[in-house]
Amino acid sequence: MSSPPADAPDFESYRDSLGIEVPDDPDHAELAADLRRACEGAVRFDEYSQILYATDGSVYEERPAGVVFPTDADDVAAATEVAAAHDAPVLPRGAGSSLAGQSVGSGCVVLDLSRHLDAILEVDPDRKRAVVQPGVVQDDLDSRLADDGLKFAPDPASSNRATVGGGIGNNSTGAHSVRYGITDAYVEEVEAVLADGSRIRAREVELDGPEWERIVAKDDREAAIYQTVRSLVEENEAEIEDKYPKLKRSVSGYNLHKCIYVNENGNECVNVAKLFVGAEGTLGTVTEATLSLVSQPDETALALYCFSDLLSAMEAVPVALDYDPSAVELMDDEVFRLARESTEYAQYAEPIPDDAAAALMLEFDSEVKVDLEEAVAETNAEFVHAGAAFDVLEAYDEEAQSKLWKLRKAAIPLLMSMAGDPKPYPFIEDASVPPDELAEYVQGFEGVLEAHDTSAAYFAHAGSGTLHVRPVLNLKESAGVEKMQSIAEDVTSLVLDHRGSFSGEHGDGLARTQFNPKLYGPELWAAFKQLKTSFDPDWRMNPGKVVFRDSPDDVGPTGPGAAAERGVGADMRENLRYGPAYSSLEPATEQDFSAEGGFSHLVELCNGCGTCRQTDSEVMCPSYRGMDDEMATTRGRANMLRAAISGELPPDEIYSERFQKEVLDLCLGCKGCQSDCPTGVDLAKLKAEVKHRYHEEEGAGPRERLFAEVDRLARVGSALAPVSNWLADLPGAGLLAEKTLGIARERDFPEFAGQSFASWFAARGGPRIPASEAADRVLLVPDTYTNYVYPATGRAAVQVLEAAGVRVEVPDADPSGRPAYSEGFLDVARERAAANVARFAPRVREGWSVVYPEPSDAAMVQDEYRDLLPDSSAADLLAENAYGVCEYLDVTRRDDAIDFDAPDVRLAYHGHCNQKALGTAGHAAGLLSRAGYDVAALDSGCCGMAGSFGYHAEHYDLSQSIGDILRDRISEADADEVVAPGASCRSQLDTERPTHPVEELAAALPRR
C-alpha cells in the first residue's frame, strides 16, 4: 500500500498559499471558532467542505455544519465536548463509502477519522490480535498482517479504501462470511468517546465479577450504560430469541443478542464493544479497537460455474455449502454485460460465456481442503456433470483468481455506470435470507419487480443468503421515489416471510432505519431507543440512523434547543441526492459528450463509492495519494461540479478563482479516472471543458499561455542553444520565473538540443529503408520534448523501426495539441487536431501508420481528437491507426524481425498514465521482455509531473509528494535501470536517469 510521505502537503497549507479568503458558514461560525480553539486538527466550516461531506456512497445528501480532522483521541473528545456545548450533532466518518447513508447528516460536526487516526498500534502474532485506530484502511492492515501470515477476516469489496472504523460502524463483512462470519465476531475491545466527551473502554466483563462491581458502583455514564444493557437483555430475552434472524449475516438494529454471552471459560459476560459494532456511530466515536485475527490460507482455488438461468444458480447454493467452500459468490448477466462494455473490466469478463445468465463462484482454501484440485473436481461433478451448470472456469494461481475477484468486486460501481437517469439504486440491496430459501426468495423478488414494472441485477454473497439486488429506478421523478418506497415495503415483508434480515452487510443508515420496528417488533424497538438514550441522552450522535423517535414526546433527547426535535421519524424518501426537485444545467460544450449522455450526466456518474481513495494499485487518484484529502479525490471534484451545475452553488461560482484553484487545479489530468473509476467519471475531460470556458469568461494568465504554446518556446530555445541554456542557468533565473510566471524555482529548465530531431533526420537523408523493401510504413511524429530537448529518443525509435524493416518518415506536423488541451485551450487544441488529421489521414489511407514516441501525444490522437472532432471520419481513421512507438511494435509484432541481444540488466518499467487509461501501457514491458531484458513492470500511479502541473509553484510540493510514492515503488523493484516512456515522468525522475523503453530496445539491437 502507498500512503502520502511524512512531509506531504496538506490541503489547508495549499489553500493558504493561494491567498484566497475562505469564510465559515455564518450559521455555524461560532461553533467553528470554538472548535479551532479546542482542537489540534484542522477545522473546515466553509461551503465547499460542507458539499464535499454531504454525500457518501448512497443515494442521500445532507449538508453537515462542517468537518474536523482530529489528530488523536483527545481531539475527538475536545471536538465532541464543543459540539455538546453548542447542542450540535456529531458524525464519525471514515472513507465515506457507506451505501445506506450512514456517513451523512444534516447540521452535523463531521469527525473525519481517516486522515490522522490511521495507525496500526500493535500486532501480536502469537495471540492473533491487533490494536488499530479507526482510520486505518483495511487493505493497509492486511498488508501489514501478511508478514505474519494473518488477516482481518471481514473483507468488504471496498477494502482498498474502506476504514476499519467504518467497518466496525456498519458491522461489515464480505465474500468470506461463509467461512468467517462478520465484524462483530472479531472486535474484542474498543475505546470510544461518548456524546458528552467522556470516554469508555468497552471489553469483556464478567457479570457480577469484581470489574462489573467496580463499574456499576460509579455514578457516571459508563455505569448507567452497563446497567441499562444488562437489564434490556434480561428483560427482553424471549423477544431477542424470537425476533433476531438466525443467519450468519444480520446487521440491522443493535447487537443486543451478542453483547451478553458465556465465554470460553464458562463465565457469563457482557461486552459493550459488541454494541458499538453495527451502531453506525450512534452510540459514540470509536478511537481505538482491539481485533482478533485469523490465519491466512497458504493457497486458494476458484471455480466459477455458469448457469443458463438465475434460479438454477440459486438452487445450487445450498448444495455448494455442503462442500465446505470459503466463499460462494453470485454474479448475473447484467454484471457481465456492463463489465464487457467497461474499459477497465472488459478483460476480466472476457472468459465468461456469452450465454451465462448467472454464475456461482466457489472458493476453496488449503486450511479446509488438503487437495484443492480434488475439491474443484468434486464440485465439477456435482454442478457440471450431474447438475445445471453448463461450464466452469477454474483458477489456481493468484493472477487468474485476482481477475475473477476484480470482476466480482466491481459489480456495484459497474451497475451505477448505466447510461441515463434510471439507475440500479441501493435501498433494499442486501437483504439476507436462509441460503436454502434463496431460490424461493428470488422468485418472490421477481414478482415484486414485475408488479412495479422494473428490473434488477443480482450479485454478491449467495453462500450467506445475502444478495445485492438493485431495482432500476429514476429517483429524479416522484413516481420513481414512491416506487422505491413501495418496493421496500413489499421486499421487507418478503424478507420477514423468510425469517430474514433487512440488511446482511451494509447497515441501516437513512435507507433502512425506518423498517427496524417492522423487523424487531415494538418491545425490541423500545429497547433500542432506551439503549441509545443510555449512551447518548440528547441523541446527538449521528441522529436518524438505526433508531428514531416516533414523536417529539417519545423517549430520547432531553437537552434544550434543536435537540427537542432531533431524531423524530424516518423516511427513506427524504434527503435524496437526486430527488424530484433536482435539476441540472447542460452547458454548451466544445467537446463531444454524447457518448457519456452529456456533460451533466458524466458529472452525475459519480456515485460516491470512493474508489478514487484507493492507494494500493492503478493510477486514480494521484492528488489524493499525495495529499490525503477529500477535495483531492475524483469524487470530491465531481461533487463540486455537481453542486455547480445543479444550483447548490451560485451560477458563476464555477468560474471563480477559488473554484479553479481549489477544485480543478488539483486534478493532474492523468486520465486515470477514465479507466480506474468504475463508472468512468473522466475528470480530465471535464476539467479541460470548464477551464476552457473559464478562459473565455475570465481570460488566461501568461503561465497558461506559455505552456499551451510550449512548442514555439522550445523551437526558439533549440535554435538559440547553447545561449538559451546559459540564460536559464544564470543565478536568480529560477526565482525570476517564479515571481513572474509562477513556475517553481526548484524546477530545472529543460536543456535544449542544438539540433532538433527533425533536423537530424533530414540531415541523415531521410528514410533508409527503400519503399520496395519495407515491411511497413510509419510516420514518426516527434513531440516537443523529443524534438527539441532529448532527440535521443527519436533517434532510437528510428533505429529500432528500421531494424524491423519499417520505412520511417518524419513529417512536418503541427504539435499534437496536448499542452493546449491540458491548459484548457480547446479551440487551439481543435485547430491542431484538425490540421494533423488533414495532414495524416490521406497518408493513413495509403497504408501508413502514425507513431508517436510520447505516450500523451499518442493518447491525444487516439482519444481526445474524437471528442474535439466528433463528426470527422478522418479523425476516427487516424485514431485507429495511431500508436505509441512500443505499442506499434508490439501490436504488429514487427520486433519479431529483430534478433535482439539485450544486456543482462533488470529494468523497472513505469508506464504512462494516459497509456494506462487507454489500456496500452503493457506493450513496452512485453517488448522489453521479448528483447531479453528482466523487466519489473511497476504497479505504479502517476509520476506527479503531468506535463506542466509539476512546474506550477503552488503544486511543487504536491508533485514531489506524488513522485516520492513512485520513487518508493522503483526502490522496491531493486532494478538496475528505470525506463519510462513519458517525457514528464523522466523529467520527474531525473535523479534516477530514466530512459525511454525504445532506447533500451535500441541498446539491445544486434551489433553490426
Side-chain angles (χ1 to χ4, degrees), residues 614-685:
Q614 67 174 333
T615 62
D616 58 338
S617 62
E618 301 175 328
V619 177
M620 184 179 72
C621 180
S623 50
Y624 174 73
R625 297 181 186 198
M627 187 177 276
D628 193 19
D629 194 274
E630 181 68 21
M631 183 64 91
T633 64
T634 303
R635 176 175 72 178
R637 287 184 278 272
N639 270 327
M640 296 304 301
L641 286 170
R642 180 178 50 79
I645 64 174
S646 66
E648 281 191 68
L649 289 171
D652 58 348
E653 181 71 19
I654 196 171
Y655 305 120
S656 69
E657 181 184 10
R658 182 186 175 195
F659 195 97
Q660 296 294 314
K661 294 290 187 183
E662 286 193 20
V663 180
L664 294 183
D665 279 6
L666 287 176
C667 170
L668 281 76
C670 70
K671 294 169 66 75
C673 51
Q674 183 177 354
S675 58
D676 293 354
C677 173
T679 56
V681 180
D682 188 347
L683 240 299
K685 183 176 181 179

Coordinates of all heavy atoms in Angstrom, one line a residue, residues 614-685:
Q614 N -8.4 4.8 -3.3 CA -7.5 3.7 -3.2 C -6.1 4.1 -3.4 O -5.9 5.1 -4.1 CB -7.9 2.6 -4.2 CG -7.7 3.0 -5.6 CD -7.9 1.9 -6.6 OE1 -7.8 0.8 -6.3 NE2 -8.3 2.3 -7.8
T615 N -5.2 3.5 -2.8 CA -3.8 3.9 -2.9 C -2.8 2.7 -3.2 O -1.6 2.9 -3.3 CB -3.3 4.6 -1.6 OG1 -3.4 3.6 -0.5 CG2 -4.1 5.8 -1.3
D616 N -3.4 1.5 -3.4 CA -2.5 0.4 -3.5 C -2.2 0.0 -4.9 O -1.2 -0.7 -5.1 CB -3.2 -0.9 -2.8 CG -4.6 -1.2 -3.4 OD1 -5.2 -0.3 -4.0 OD2 -5.0 -2.3 -3.2
S617 N -3.0 0.4 -5.9 CA -2.7 0.0 -7.2 C -3.3 1.0 -8.2 O -4.0 1.9 -7.8 CB -3.2 -1.4 -7.5 OG -4.6 -1.5 -7.4
E618 N -3.1 0.7 -9.5 CA -3.7 1.6 -10.5 C -3.2 3.0 -10.4 O -2.2 3.3 -9.7 CB -5.2 1.4 -10.6 CG -5.6 -0.1 -10.8 CD -7.0 -0.4 -10.7 OE1 -7.7 0.3 -10.0 OE2 -7.5 -1.3 -11.4
V619 N -3.9 3.9 -11.1 CA -3.5 5.3 -11.2 C -4.3 6.3 -10.3 O -3.7 7.1 -9.5 CB -3.6 5.8 -12.6 CG1 -3.2 7.3 -12.7 CG2 -2.7 5.0 -13.5
M620 N -5.6 6.1 -10.3 CA -6.5 7.1 -9.7 C -6.4 7.0 -8.1 O -6.4 5.9 -7.6 CB -7.9 6.8 -10.1 CG -9.0 7.7 -9.6 SD -10.6 7.3 -10.3 CE -11.0 5.8 -9.3
C621 N -6.3 8.1 -7.5 CA -6.3 9.5 -7.9 C -5.0 10.1 -7.3 O -4.8 10.1 -6.1 CB -7.5 10.2 -7.4 SG -7.5 12.0 -8.0
P622 N -4.0 10.5 -8.2 CA -2.7 10.8 -7.7 C -2.7 12.0 -6.7 O -1.9 12.0 -5.8 CB -1.9 11.2 -9.0 CG -3.0 11.4 -10.0 CD -4.1 10.6 -9.7
S623 N -3.6 13.0 -6.9 CA -3.5 14.1 -6.0 C -4.0 13.7 -4.6 O -3.5 14.2 -3.6 CB -4.4 15.3 -6.5 OG -5.7 14.8 -6.9
Y624 N -4.9 12.7 -4.5 CA -5.3 12.2 -3.2 C -4.2 11.4 -2.6 O -4.0 11.6 -1.4 CB -6.6 11.3 -3.3 CG -6.9 10.6 -2.0 CD1 -7.5 11.4 -1.0 CD2 -6.6 9.3 -1.8 CE1 -7.8 10.8 0.2 CE2 -6.9 8.7 -0.6 CZ -7.5 9.4 0.4 OH -7.8 8.9 1.6
R625 N -3.5 10.7 -3.4 CA -2.4 9.9 -2.8 C -1.3 10.8 -2.3 O -0.6 10.4 -1.3 CB -1.8 9.0 -3.9 CG -2.8 7.9 -4.4 CD -2.3 7.0 -5.4 NE -3.3 6.1 -5.9 CZ -3.2 5.0 -6.6 NH1 -1.9 4.6 -6.8 NH2 -4.2 4.3 -7.0
G626 N -1.1 12.0 -2.9 CA -0.1 12.9 -2.4 C -0.5 13.8 -1.3 O 0.3 14.4 -0.7
M627 N -1.8 14.0 -1.1 CA -2.3 15.0 -0.2 C -3.2 14.4 0.9 O -3.4 15.0 1.9 CB -3.0 16.1 -1.0 CG -3.4 17.3 -0.1 SD -4.2 18.6 -1.1 CE -2.7 19.5 -1.7
D628 N -3.9 13.3 0.6 CA -4.8 12.6 1.6 C -5.9 13.5 2.0 O -6.1 13.8 3.2 CB -3.9 12.2 2.8 CG -4.7 11.2 3.7 OD1 -5.7 10.7 3.3 OD2 -4.3 11.1 4.9
D629 N -6.6 14.1 1.0 CA -7.7 15.0 1.3 C -8.9 14.7 0.4 O -8.7 14.4 -0.8 CB -7.3 16.4 1.2 CG -8.3 17.4 1.8 OD1 -9.2 17.8 1.2 OD2 -8.1 17.7 3.0
E630 N -10.1 14.8 0.9 CA -11.3 14.5 0.1 C -11.4 15.5 -1.1 O -11.8 15.1 -2.2 CB -12.5 14.6 0.9 CG -13.8 14.4 0.2 CD -14.0 12.9 -0.2 OE1 -13.3 12.0 0.4 OE2 -14.8 12.7 -1.1
M631 N -11.0 16.7 -1.0 CA -11.0 17.7 -2.1 C -10.1 17.2 -3.2 O -10.3 17.6 -4.4 CB -10.6 19.1 -1.6 CG -10.7 20.1 -2.7 SD -12.4 20.4 -3.3 CE -12.8 21.7 -2.2
A632 N -9.1 16.4 -2.9 CA -8.2 16.0 -3.9 C -8.6 14.7 -4.6 O -7.8 14.1 -5.3 CB -6.8 15.9 -3.3
T633 N -9.8 14.2 -4.4 CA -10.2 13.0 -5.0 C -11.1 13.3 -6.2 O -11.6 14.4 -6.4 CB -11.1 12.1 -4.0 OG1 -12.3 12.9 -3.7 CG2 -10.4 11.8 -2.8
T634 N -11.2 12.3 -7.1 CA -12.1 12.4 -8.2 C -13.5 12.6 -7.7 O -14.3 13.5 -8.2 CB -12.1 11.2 -9.1 OG1 -10.7 11.0 -9.5 CG2 -13.0 11.3 -10.3
R635 N -13.9 11.9 -6.7 CA -15.2 12.1 -6.0 C -15.5 13.5 -5.6 O -16.5 14.1 -5.8 CB -15.4 11.1 -4.9 CG -16.7 11.2 -4.1 CD -16.9 10.1 -3.1 NE -16.0 10.3 -1.9 CZ -16.0 9.5 -0.9 NH1 -16.8 8.4 -0.9 NH2 -15.2 9.7 0.1
G636 N -14.5 14.1 -4.9 CA -14.6 15.4 -4.4 C -14.8 16.4 -5.5 O -15.7 17.3 -5.4
R637 N -14.0 16.3 -6.6 CA -14.2 17.3 -7.7 C -15.5 17.1 -8.4 O -16.2 18.0 -8.8 CB -13.0 17.1 -8.7 CG -11.7 17.6 -8.1 CD -10.6 17.5 -9.2 NE -10.0 16.2 -9.2 CZ -9.0 15.8 -8.4 NH1 -8.4 16.7 -7.6 NH2 -8.4 14.6 -8.6
A638 N -16.0 15.8 -8.5 CA -17.3 15.5 -9.1 C -18.4 16.1 -8.3 O -19.4 16.7 -8.8 CB -17.5 14.0 -9.4
N639 N -18.3 16.0 -7.0 CA -19.3 16.6 -6.1 C -19.4 18.1 -6.2 O -20.5 18.7 -6.2 CB -19.0 16.2 -4.6 CG -19.7 14.9 -4.2 OD1 -20.8 14.6 -4.7 ND2 -19.0 14.2 -3.3
M640 N -18.2 18.7 -6.4 CA -18.2 20.2 -6.5 C -18.8 20.6 -7.9 O -19.5 21.6 -7.9 CB -16.8 20.7 -6.4 CG -16.2 20.5 -5.0 SD -17.1 21.2 -3.6 CE -17.2 22.9 -4.1
L641 N -18.5 19.9 -8.9 CA -19.0 20.2 -10.2 C -20.5 20.0 -10.2 O -21.3 20.7 -10.8 CB -18.4 19.3 -11.3 CG -17.0 19.7 -11.7 CD1 -16.4 18.6 -12.6 CD2 -16.9 21.1 -12.4
R642 N -21.0 18.9 -9.6 CA -22.4 18.6 -9.5 C -23.1 19.8 -8.7 O -24.2 20.2 -9.1 CB -22.7 17.3 -8.7 CG -24.2 17.0 -8.6 CD -24.3 15.6 -7.9 NE -23.6 15.5 -6.7 CZ -23.9 16.0 -5.5 NH1 -25.0 16.7 -5.4 NH2 -23.1 15.9 -4.5
A643 N -22.5 20.3 -7.7 CA -23.1 21.4 -6.9 C -23.2 22.6 -7.8 O -24.1 23.4 -7.7 CB -22.3 21.7 -5.7
A644 N -22.2 22.8 -8.7 CA -22.2 24.0 -9.6 C -23.2 23.9 -10.6 O -23.9 24.9 -11.0 CB -20.8 24.1 -10.2
I645 N -23.5 22.7 -11.2 CA -24.4 22.6 -12.3 C -25.9 22.5 -11.8 O -26.8 22.6 -12.6 CB -24.1 21.5 -13.3 CG1 -24.2 20.1 -12.6 CG2 -22.7 21.7 -13.9 CD1 -24.0 18.9 -13.5
S646 N -26.0 22.1 -10.5 CA -27.4 21.9 -10.0 C -27.9 23.1 -9.2 O -29.0 23.0 -8.7 CB -27.4 20.7 -9.1 OG -26.6 20.9 -8.0
G647 N -27.1 24.2 -9.1 CA -27.6 25.3 -8.4 C -27.3 25.4 -6.9 O -27.7 26.3 -6.2
E648 N -26.6 24.3 -6.3 CA -26.2 24.4 -4.9 C -25.2 25.5 -4.7 O -25.2 26.1 -3.6 CB -25.6 23.0 -4.5 CG -26.6 21.9 -4.2 CD -25.9 20.8 -3.6 OE1 -25.4 20.9 -2.4 OE2 -25.7 19.7 -4.2
L649 N -24.4 25.8 -5.7 CA -23.5 26.9 -5.6 C -24.1 28.0 -6.6 O -24.8 27.7 -7.5 CB -22.1 26.5 -6.1 CG -21.3 25.6 -5.2 CD1 -20.1 25.1 -5.9 CD2 -20.9 26.3 -3.9
P650 N -23.7 29.2 -6.3 CA -24.1 30.3 -7.2 C -23.7 30.0 -8.7 O -22.7 29.4 -8.9 CB -23.4 31.5 -6.7 CG -23.1 31.2 -5.3 CD -22.9 29.7 -5.2
P651 N -24.5 30.5 -9.7 CA -24.2 30.1 -11.1 C -22.8 30.4 -11.6 O -22.3 29.7 -12.4 CB -25.3 30.9 -11.8 CG -26.3 31.2 -10.8 CD -25.7 31.3 -9.5
D652 N -22.2 31.5 -11.1 CA -20.9 31.9 -11.6 C -19.8 31.4 -10.7 O -18.6 31.7 -11.0 CB -20.8 33.4 -11.7 CG -21.1 34.1 -10.4 OD1 -21.5 33.4 -9.4 OD2 -20.8 35.3 -10.3
E653 N -20.1 30.6 -9.7 CA -19.1 30.1 -8.8 C -18.0 29.2 -9.5 O -16.8 29.3 -9.2 CB -19.7 29.3 -7.6 CG -18.7 28.8 -6.6 CD -18.1 29.9 -5.7 OE1 -18.7 31.0 -5.7 OE2 -17.0 29.6 -5.1
I654 N -18.5 28.5 -10.5 CA -17.6 27.6 -11.2 C -16.5 28.3 -11.9 O -15.4 27.8 -12.2 CB -18.4 26.7 -12.2 CG1 -17.6 25.5 -12.6 CG2 -18.9 27.5 -13.3 CD1 -18.4 24.5 -13.4
Y655 N -16.7 29.6 -12.2 CA -15.7 30.4 -12.9 C -14.9 31.3 -11.9 O -14.2 32.2 -12.4 CB -16.3 31.2 -14.0 CG -17.1 30.4 -15.0 CD1 -18.4 30.5 -15.2 CD2 -16.4 29.3 -15.7 CE1 -19.2 29.7 -16.1 CE2 -17.1 28.5 -16.5 CZ -18.5 28.7 -16.7 OH -19.2 27.9 -17.6
S656 N -15.1 31.1 -10.6 CA -14.3 31.9 -9.6 C -12.9 31.4 -9.5 O -12.6 30.2 -9.8 CB -15.0 31.8 -8.3 OG -14.9 30.5 -7.7
E657 N -12.0 32.2 -9.1 CA -10.6 31.8 -8.9 C -10.5 30.7 -7.9 O -9.8 29.8 -8.0 CB -9.8 33.0 -8.4 CG -8.3 32.7 -8.2 CD -7.5 33.8 -7.7 OE1 -8.1 34.9 -7.3 OE2 -6.3 33.7 -7.6
R658 N -11.4 30.8 -6.8 CA -11.3 29.8 -5.8 C -11.7 28.4 -6.3 O -11.0 27.4 -6.1 CB -12.2 30.1 -4.6 CG -12.1 29.1 -3.5 CD -13.1 29.3 -2.4 NE -13.0 28.3 -1.4 CZ -13.9 28.0 -0.5 NH1 -15.0 28.8 -0.4 NH2 -13.8 27.0 0.3
F659 N -12.8 28.3 -7.1 CA -13.2 27.0 -7.7 C -12.1 26.5 -8.6 O -11.8 25.3 -8.5 CB -14.5 27.2 -8.4 CG -15.2 25.9 -8.7 CD1 -16.2 25.4 -7.9 CD2 -14.8 25.1 -9.8 CE1 -16.8 24.2 -8.2 CE2 -15.4 23.9 -10.1 CZ -16.5 23.5 -9.3
Q660 N -11.5 27.3 -9.4 CA -10.5 26.8 -10.3 C -9.3 26.3 -9.5 O -8.7 25.3 -9.8 CB -10.1 28.0 -11.2 CG -11.2 28.4 -12.2 CD -11.6 27.4 -13.2 OE1 -10.7 26.7 -13.8 NE2 -12.9 27.2 -13.3
K661 N -8.8 27.1 -8.5 CA -7.6 26.7 -7.8 C -7.8 25.6 -6.8 O -7.0 24.7 -6.7 CB -7.1 28.0 -7.1 CG -6.6 29.1 -7.9 CD -5.3 28.8 -8.7 CE -4.8 29.9 -9.4 NZ -3.5 29.6 -10.2
E662 N -8.9 25.6 -6.1 CA -9.1 24.6 -5.0 C -9.6 23.3 -5.6 O -9.3 22.2 -5.1 CB -10.1 25.1 -4.0 CG -9.5 26.2 -3.0 CD -10.4 26.4 -1.8 OE1 -11.2 25.5 -1.5 OE2 -10.2 27.4 -1.2
V663 N -10.5 23.4 -6.6 CA -11.2 22.2 -7.1 C -10.5 21.6 -8.3 O -10.0 20.5 -8.3 CB -12.6 22.5 -7.4 CG1 -13.4 21.3 -7.9 CG2 -13.3 23.1 -6.2
L664 N -10.4 22.4 -9.4 CA -9.9 21.8 -10.6 C -8.4 21.7 -10.8 O -7.9 20.8 -11.4 CB -10.5 22.6 -11.8 CG -12.0 22.6 -12.0 CD1 -12.5 23.4 -13.2 CD2 -12.5 21.1 -12.1
D665 N -7.7 22.7 -10.2 CA -6.3 22.7 -10.5 C -5.6 21.5 -9.8 O -4.4 21.2 -10.1 CB -5.7 24.0 -10.0 CG -5.8 25.1 -11.1 OD1 -6.5 24.8 -12.1 OD2 -5.3 26.2 -10.9
L666 N -6.2 20.9 -8.8 CA -5.6 19.8 -8.1 C -5.7 18.5 -8.9 O -5.2 17.5 -8.6 CB -6.2 19.6 -6.7 CG -5.8 20.6 -5.7 CD1 -6.5 20.4 -4.4 CD2 -4.3 20.5 -5.5
C667 N -6.5 18.5 -10.0 CA -6.6 17.4 -11.0 C -5.4 17.5 -11.9 O -5.1 18.5 -12.6 CB -7.9 17.5 -11.8 SG -7.9 16.3 -13.1
L668 N -4.6 16.4 -11.9 CA -3.4 16.4 -12.8 C -3.7 16.1 -14.2 O -2.8 16.2 -15.1 CB -2.4 15.4 -12.3 CG -1.5 15.8 -11.0 CD1 -2.4 15.7 -9.8 CD2 -0.3 14.9 -10.9
G669 N -4.9 15.8 -14.6 CA -5.2 15.4 -15.9 C -4.6 14.1 -16.4 O -4.4 13.9 -17.6
C670 N -4.4 13.2 -15.4 CA -3.7 12.0 -15.8 C -4.5 11.0 -16.5 O -4.0 10.0 -17.1 CB -3.2 11.3 -14.5 SG -4.5 10.6 -13.4
K671 N -5.9 11.2 -16.5 CA -6.8 10.4 -17.2 C -7.0 9.0 -16.5 O -7.8 8.2 -17.0 CB -6.5 10.1 -18.7 CG -6.5 11.3 -19.5 CD -5.9 11.1 -20.9 CE -6.6 10.1 -21.8 NZ -7.8 10.7 -22.3
G672 N -6.4 8.9 -15.3 CA -6.6 7.6 -14.6 C -8.0 7.3 -14.3 O -8.5 6.1 -14.4
C673 N -8.8 8.3 -14.0 CA -10.2 8.1 -13.7 C -11.0 7.6 -14.9 O -12.1 7.0 -14.7 CB -10.9 9.3 -13.1 SG -10.6 10.8 -14.1
Q674 N -10.6 7.8 -16.1 CA -11.3 7.4 -17.3 C -11.4 5.9 -17.3 O -12.4 5.3 -17.7 CB -10.5 7.9 -18.5 CG -11.2 7.5 -19.8 CD -10.5 8.0 -21.0 OE1 -9.6 8.8 -20.9 NE2 -11.0 7.7 -22.2
S675 N -10.4 5.2 -16.7 CA -10.4 3.7 -16.7 C -10.6 3.2 -15.3 O -11.3 2.2 -15.1 CB -9.2 3.1 -17.3 OG -8.0 3.6 -16.6
D676 N -9.9 3.8 -14.3 CA -10.0 3.3 -12.9 C -11.3 3.5 -12.2 O -11.7 2.7 -11.4 CB -8.8 3.9 -12.1 CG -7.5 3.5 -12.6 OD1 -7.4 2.6 -13.5 OD2 -6.5 4.0 -12.1
C677 N -11.9 4.6 -12.5 CA -13.3 4.8 -11.9 C -14.2 3.9 -12.5 O -14.4 3.9 -13.8 CB -13.7 6.3 -12.2 SG -15.4 6.6 -11.7
P678 N -14.9 3.0 -11.8 CA -15.8 2.0 -12.3 C -16.9 2.6 -13.1 O -17.5 1.9 -14.0 CB -16.3 1.2 -11.1 CG -15.2 1.5 -10.1 CD -14.7 2.9 -10.3
T679 N -17.4 3.8 -12.8 CA -18.4 4.4 -13.6 C -17.9 5.3 -14.7 O -18.7 5.9 -15.4 CB -19.4 5.2 -12.7 OG1 -18.7 6.2 -11.9 CG2 -20.1 4.3 -11.7
G680 N -16.6 5.5 -14.8 CA -16.0 6.2 -15.9 C -16.1 7.7 -15.8 O -16.3 8.4 -16.8
V681 N -16.0 8.3 -14.6 CA -16.1 9.7 -14.4 C -14.7 10.3 -14.9 O -13.8 10.3 -14.2 CB -16.4 10.1 -13.0 CG1 -16.4 11.7 -12.8 CG2 -17.7 9.5 -12.5
D682 N -14.7 10.8 -16.1 CA -13.5 11.3 -16.7 C -13.3 12.8 -16.3 O -13.7 13.7 -17.0 CB -13.6 11.2 -18.3 CG -12.3 11.5 -19.0 OD1 -11.4 12.1 -18.4 OD2 -12.2 11.2 -20.2
L683 N -12.6 13.0 -15.2 CA -12.4 14.3 -14.7 C -11.5 15.1 -15.6 O -11.6 16.4 -15.7 CB -11.9 14.3 -13.2 CG -12.8 15.0 -12.2 CD1 -13.0 16.4 -12.5 CD2 -14.1 14.3 -12.1
A684 N -10.5 14.5 -16.2 CA -9.6 15.2 -17.1 C -10.4 15.9 -18.2 O -10.1 17.1 -18.6 CB -8.5 14.3 -17.6
K685 N -11.3 15.2 -18.8 CA -12.2 15.8 -19.8 C -13.0 16.9 -19.3 O -13.2 18.0 -19.9 CB -13.0 14.7 -20.4 CG -13.9 15.1 -21.6 CD -14.6 13.9 -22.2 CE -15.4 14.4 -23.4 NZ -16.1 13.2 -24.1

